[in-house]
Amino acid sequence: MSRAATRLRDALADARGAVLRPAIVGLVVALLTWALGSHPVPAGVVGLAVAAAVAVLQRLDARVEPRAARGTAQRSDGARGEIAETAWTMQSRDGRAGERALRRLREAGARRLARHGLDLSDPADADAVLALIGARARTTLTQVQHPRPSVADLAHTLKVLEDLGAQRAPAPGASAPGTDPHPPAARSRR
């Protein structure tokens, strides 16, 4: 027997089971209803309703569908979608900087200032922070009440922190950047 004939036979058997059982149950219920004194038309309607219910019930699967596990992927700094995600969160509905973008900016600003030996939350370092990044950037990083800073303030602070660089401040008594007494040897051309 060919593969197509086998598939056709299996499909007919499935269809027969899907149609035959509801039809038989519906007919039995209709006959019972008629035998109990109902008129033939209402008995037929009850039989059809029961047949439809049986058809639906035999197609139901009692097993619960498995759901895909939600992965909470931790993004590392510089991940592929980080810039796009940050751009979408920069502006909120009211045109001000979004809270999520401000939170990330504050975290980055605190890390960048810590590399220069300053603590953004320490009132003793307030004057040094002000001298290093300016009043507008300091206000953007420290203001936690409404109104939130504008997107222009956020962009300005990003630029200031970027220009600040990731370089650590020189330790007391060390030479200033660019005045290293032992510069690396110049590369030779090959």
Side-chain angles (χ1 to χ4, degrees):
M1 190 178 288
S2 71
R3 205 179 240 176
T6 305
R7 275 192 252 150
L8 180 62
R9 188 187 69 204
D10 291 343
L12 287 175
D14 290 343
R16 193 174 347 161
V19 173
L20 196 56
R21 184 177 298 135
I24 290 173
V25 171
L27 184 62
V28 168
V29 168
L31 288 174
L32 247 151
T33 306
W34 179 67
L36 291 175
S38 179
H39 289 287
V41 174
V45 171
V46 169
L48 281 174
V50 169
V54 168
V56 168
L57 289 174
Q58 76 181 13
R59 301 301 295 172
L60 288 179
D61 190 3
R63 292 174 292 176
V64 176
E65 283 287 321
R67 293 188 182 211
R70 279 192 171 181
T72 55
Q74 296 292 330
R75 284 197 181 180
S76 59
D77 291 337
R80 176 175 261 181
E82 183 181 32
I83 298 300
E85 184 179 315
T86 302
W88 277 102
T89 61
M90 281 181 67
Q91 188 168 349
S92 65
R93 293 182 195 170
D94 62 353
R96 302 300 231 161
E99 185 60 39
R100 189 172 181 190
L102 280 171
R103 194 173 356 173
R104 293 186 74 178
L105 178 67
R106 288 180 184 126
E107 290 169 3
R111 282 192 310 267
R112 189 62 58 101
L113 290 170
R115 289 181 181 149
H116 289 270
L118 300 172
D119 184 3
L120 187 60
S121 60
D122 187 6
D125 289 343
D127 292 333
V129 169
L130 184 64
L132 188 62
I133 62 174
R136 184 177 178 188
R138 182 181 176 278
T139 302
T140 302
L141 290 174
T142 57
Q143 182 178 352
V144 292
Q145 58 200 15
H146 283 305
R148 289 189 312 267
S150 67
V151 176
D153 292 334
L154 187 99
H156 169 77
T157 306
L158 279 170
K159 177 74 173 136
V160 167
L161 291 174
E162 185 178 90
D163 290 345
L164 188 62
Q167 301 296 326
R168 296 181 186 272
S175 61
T179 59
D180 189 2
H182 305 289
R187 293 184 180 182
S188 61
R189 291 190 171 232
R190 293 183 187 183

